[in-house]
Amino acid sequence: MRRLFTQSVRPFKWSRLSIVFRPGFSRSLHKNWNSVNDFFQYTRGRFVSNEEHELSIRRVKFDMNELARLAADSVGSRECVHIEKFPDGMFNKTFLFTMANGVEVVGKVPNPNAGQPHFTTASEVATMDFVRNVLGTPVPRVLAWSSKAGENSVGAEYIIMEKVTGVQLSHVWHNMGIEDRFEIVKAISGYQRSWSSTSFTKYGSLYYSCDTDYQKECVLVKSDGTHAKEPRFAIGPSTGRDQADHGRVSIDFDRGPWDDAFQYRRAVGLREITSVQSIGDLPRSPLSLYGPDTYHPTRAKKLAALHSYLQLVRYLLPTDKTIMAPFLWHSDLHTENIFVNPERPTEVLGIIDWQSTEVLPLFEHARQPYFLDYDGPSVEGLEPPTLPENISEFSSAKQLEAKRLYMSMSLSALYRNLTYRDNPVLYKAMEFRQTKCFEMMLLAQNLLVDGEALYQASVLDLEKEWPDVPGAQALGNPPFPVRLSASEVRSLEKDVSGAILGMELMADIKNSLGELWPEKGVVRHGQYNDTKTLLNQAKARMHDRLKSSEENCAWEYSWPFDS
C-alpha cells in the first residue's frame, strides 16, 4: 500500500539566469536588479493544474539591490558585480552572487509556500550550525541571515551562505563506476551514523534559543546514554513539509514541540482533523482521478478514518524505545543536495538544503537515501542480489536492463549491510518501516489529501491480526478499539473499489505520457504544449467511454488538469 502513496523525486536541471554588471559601474546602477522580473517569479517550468495559484505561492517580491549589498558586506567586498539565479526549487529562490574581488556566495529567499514565516528560516539556520559544528557534517557556513521580513532592508526572509565547492552528485553519478558508487554510499552512511550518535529529549525542529518562545535549553543524549546541555539551541515547533503543504501553513494546530513519540503521533491525527475541518476546498489527490464509478472523497469519510487512527495510534507505535528516540536528520538526500569533488567524486564536500528538517522518532527517518531509489523490486534482508540465471538468453537490451537493475539493487543491499553492521539501531528502525503498523501511520499523515478509503480497509485488516500486534501485546491485549457497522463495511468495500479504479485511471494517464508526465504538476517550458495536448487526448478518451451527458459533465467538472 505504501508504494501507491509514495512518489519519487526526480529533480529537473535547467540553465541559470545570469545578470552581469561590469566592475566600475556605480552602485546606483544596481537598482536595475530589481527590474529583472524573473528573479522574483517561478521560471523553471509550467504547471498543468491550477497554474495561477501555483505560480502565486512561488512569487516573492523583495529588494534585490539590498540582498546583493548584504551579500557583498558578508564577505567584506566593495560590491556585487554578477548575479545568477539557480533553477527554481518548489519552495525557494536561490542566487549566486559574485563580488568585485571574485568571491562567490549563495543567497536564498523562501517562497510564500515554504512554511510559516520566521520559523522556517530560523530553524534552517540553527540546524545548519548544529549539523556543521556539533555533528561534523560538511554544511555551508551561514554568513548573514534574517527571519523577520518586516525588520530588514530586503523585505523578505533570507540566508546568505558560503558557496559549496565541488559539483552536485547528479553531474557525475551516471558516469561513476560501481566501486566509486560504493564509496559514496559508505560516505553517506557514515554521516548518518554521526547523526544517530546524538539524540534529543523533545520532538519538533531545532532553533537558536533566542528565536523561539520555548526557552528551555536543548538536552542532547549521547550514544553512551550521557546527557549534555546545549544552551544555544532549543527544540521548538516543527517546520516539516507536512505542517505546511496543501494549505496547512495558514491553519492553527499543534506544531509542537512534543515530549514523547505518542504526543507527536497523536498531534499528526489532530492536525489532519483540524485541516479537513478548516480548509476551504479539499485538495485534489495527485494519485487518483475522481469521476463516475470512482471514489469521491468527503470530509466525513476523511474524519472517520482519522478518528480510527487516533483510536489506534498508541498501539501502532514500536515497542522498542531506541527507535522512538528523537533524532535530527536530512530527509531529502538526492543527487542535487550532495556535492562532491569533481576530480575525486567519491569525496563528499557538502550536503545542502536543510530547510524543513525535523527532530523526529528515528523510525520516521529510517529510509535509504533517495539517490539509491530505483524502479524495480526492493531489497529486503541482508542477502546480496543476483543476476537472472538465464541472462545469457536475454536480448542485448534486456541484458543491459538486467545489469542496471542488479547494480541498483547491489547499492541498496550495500547500504542495508553497512547500516546493519555499523548502525544497528537505524537498521532496526528500517525494519519497523516494513510493518503494517508503520504503513498505517505513514498513510494517516496525509489523509487531508488522499487515502482514507484504503486506510479504513487497513483498519479491518489490522483487526484480524490484532492478537499479534506488538503494541497491543505490550499494552495488555485490549479489545480492538475500532468498530465499524455492517453497513459501514459494505459502503467501505464500494469506496475501496472506486479508489483503486481512480488510481488505475491516473496510472494509465501517467503511462501514456511517459517522460512528459508532469512530476509534481510541473513540466519544462518546451514540453508544456505537448503535455497539454496529451492530457486533453486522455480526457477525450475518457469521454468516449462514457454513456451519458451527465457522466461527461461529471468528468469535466472533476478533471484535475487545466484546460
Side-chain angles (χ1 to χ4, degrees):
M1 185 180 300
R2 185 177 60 220
R3 184 179 299 274
L4 294 174
F5 289 87
T6 303
Q7 297 188 35
S8 61
V9 177
R10 292 181 173 86
F12 295 139
K13 302 176 183 65
W14 283 287
S15 60
R16 303 168 180 171
L17 169 71
S18 179
I19 304 295
V20 180
F21 289 89
R22 300 182 190 283
F25 275 34
S26 66
R27 180 164 292 173
S28 63
L29 289 181
H30 292 189
K31 292 178 182 177
N32 290 330
W33 282 333
N34 285 336
S35 67
V36 183
N37 193 52
D38 283 353
F39 280 163
F40 314 107
Q41 310 291 334
Y42 183 87
T43 58
R44 190 168 189 169
R46 295 284 305 274
F47 290 90
V48 298
S49 298
N50 202 5
E51 183 170 45
E52 183 177 348
H53 168 73
E54 295 294 340
L55 292 176
S56 71
I57 63 176
R58 293 170 175 85
R59 183 182 304 119
V60 56
K61 189 65 178 176
F62 57 92
D63 191 331
M64 178 61 92
N65 298 323
E66 275 298 292
L67 188 60
R69 181 185 66 80
L70 292 169
D73 288 348
S74 72
V75 290
S77 179
R78 174 172 54 86
E79 61 183 347
C80 172
V81 297
H82 186 181
I83 299 178
E84 296 183 27
K85 182 186 179 186
F86 289 103
D88 282 289
M90 297 299 280
F91 306 104
N92 302 278
K93 305 278 182 285
T94 310
F95 308 91
L96 180 66
F97 298 94
T98 302
M99 308 308 160
N101 59 5
V103 175
E104 294 178 321
V105 299
V106 171
K108 181 177 182 180
V109 176
N111 294 333
N113 67 331
Q116 284 195 304
H118 166 65
F119 293 99
T120 301
T121 297
S123 179
E124 181 176 5
V125 171
T127 297
M128 291 172 69
D129 183 350
F130 186 91
V131 172
R132 174 187 174 93
N133 295 305
V134 177
L135 298 182
T137 301
V139 172
R141 184 165 58 94
V142 173
L143 304 172
W145 66 283
S146 173
S147 62
K148 302 290 183 68
E151 300 178 8
N152 64 52
S153 58
V154 174
E157 299 177 39
Y158 65 85
I159 300 173
I160 298 170
M161 68 189 86
E162 293 176 327
K163 178 191 174 186
V164 180
T165 58
V167 298
Q168 291 170 310
L169 181 60
S170 58
H171 292 176
V172 297
W173 180 253
H174 294 292
N175 294 323
M176 293 172 66
I178 187 67
E179 295 83 3
D180 285 350
R181 292 189 185 190
F182 276 1
E183 291 303 313
I184 290 290
V185 173
K186 291 177 183 177
I188 296 301
S189 180
Y191 290 125
Q192 290 187 331
R193 189 164 62 251
S194 172
W195 304 342
S196 60
S197 68
T198 301
S199 64
F200 298 77
T201 57
K202 289 183 179 295
Y203 304 75
S205 286
L206 192 66
Y207 300 82
Y208 291 127
S209 297
C210 59
D211 287 321
T212 175
D213 292 335
Y214 299 90
Q215 295 291 338
K216 190 172 181 180
E217 62 191 3
C218 187
V219 178
L220 308 182
V221 182
K222 299 297 183 180
S223 55
D224 61 2
T226 59
H227 288 58
K229 294 181 179 180
E230 278 284 351
R232 292 179 58 230
F233 299 97
I235 302 296
S238 169
T239 61
R241 290 256 47 93
D242 286 346
Q243 310 289 340
D245 286 350
H246 302 290
R248 297 185 186 97
V249 67
S250 60
I251 298 174
D252 184 21
F253 50 76
D254 178 13
R255 288 178 164 82
W258 304 281
D259 291 327
D260 58 53
F262 172 69
Q263 282 186 12
Y264 155 67
R265 263 291 157 190
R266 184 172 182 273
V268 169
L270 295 175
R271 176 196 75 204
E272 294 298 273
I273 286 175
T274 301
S275 299
V276 169
Q277 293 172 331
S278 304
I279 202 163
D281 295 318
L282 291 174
R284 289 182 182 272
S285 168
L287 303 174
S288 182
L289 286 180
Y290 305 141
D293 298 325
T294 70
Y295 171 73
H296 289 264
T298 67
R299 295 182 199 272
K301 291 175 181 178
K302 290 179 181 293
L303 292 174
L306 286 163
H307 285 301
S308 294
Y309 167 76
L310 288 178
Q311 290 175 288
L312 289 168
V313 62
R314 68 173 66 250
Y315 308 107
L316 300 177
L317 289 166
T319 56
D320 187 339
K321 295 187 182 301
T322 63
I323 67 173
M324 285 202 289
F327 290 86
L328 185 68
W329 215 261
H330 196 298
S331 61
D332 197 16
L333 288 171
H334 60 70
T335 55
E336 289 199 342
N337 283 339
I338 301 169
F339 282 71
V340 297
N341 186 333
E343 304 300 324
R344 297 185 300 279
T346 60
E347 180 185 355
V348 175
L349 300 178
I351 298 176
I352 66 167
D353 195 4
W354 294 84
Q355 188 181 77
S356 303
T357 299
E358 296 175 277
V359 178
L360 293 183
L362 185 60
F363 68 80
E364 299 278 1
H365 301 307
R367 74 173 317 280
Q368 74 175 14
Y370 280 102
F371 72 87
L372 294 179
D373 287 357
Y374 58 91
D375 293 327
S378 60
V379 173
E380 298 181 0
L382 299 172
E383 292 299 316
T386 57
L387 286 166
E389 291 183 1
N390 61 335
I391 190 172
S392 61
E393 302 172 10
F394 292 6
S395 66
S396 297
K398 288 292 184 181
Q399 285 189 30
L400 181 61
E401 181 180 340
K403 290 176 180 178
R404 285 174 176 168
L405 177 60
Y406 171 74
M407 175 183 283
S408 296
M409 294 179 69
S410 296
L411 289 170
S412 181
L414 172 69
Y415 174 77
R416 291 180 62 85
N417 277 271
L418 285 172
T419 303
Y420 177 79
R421 185 191 71 186
D422 301 330
N423 203 347
V425 176
L426 180 59
Y427 187 82
K428 285 194 293 184
M430 290 169 60
E431 291 291 280
F432 175 72
R433 288 176 69 94
Q434 305 303 312
T435 66
K436 186 176 187 64
C437 288
F438 175 77
E439 287 185 349
M440 294 186 69
M441 286 193 287
L442 181 67
L443 184 55
Q445 67 192 39
N446 203 35
L447 288 178
L448 169 65
V449 181
D450 53 24
E452 59 274 7
L454 295 181
Y455 192 85
Q456 290 291 66
S458 293
V459 170
L460 295 179
D461 291 340
L462 188 68
E463 184 175 14
K464 302 171 186 175
E465 305 169 15
W466 189 243
D468 299 320
V469 173
Q473 294 174 343
L475 292 170
N477 294 306
F480 191 69
V482 180
R483 287 287 178 265
L484 298 179
S485 67
S487 62
E488 288 173 323
V489 171
R490 288 194 297 272
S491 178
L492 178 60
E493 290 172 351
K494 181 179 178 181
D495 286 346
V496 169
S497 177
I500 292 173
L501 174 60
M503 287 188 290
E504 289 174 346
L505 291 173
M506 185 68 91
D508 286 345
I509 295 175
K510 181 176 180 179
N511 290 335
S512 70
L513 266 69
E515 292 185 356
L516 291 179
W517 172 252
E519 193 72 40
K520 294 197 172 185
V522 65
V523 295
R524 297 177 178 88
H525 288 278
Q527 295 177 329
Y528 180 75
N529 290 333
D530 290 340
T531 298
K532 291 295 295 294
T533 297
L534 291 175
L535 288 173
N536 287 332
Q537 290 174 356
K539 184 168 70 169
R541 290 195 299 273
M542 197 81 66
H543 283 300
D544 290 343
R545 295 205 298 259
L546 301 177
K547 301 176 182 178
S548 68
S549 59
E550 290 80 7
E551 287 181 323
N552 271 290
C553 288
W555 269 118
E556 189 70 32
Y557 176 77
S558 62
W559 188 250
F561 305 106
D562 295 343
S563 299

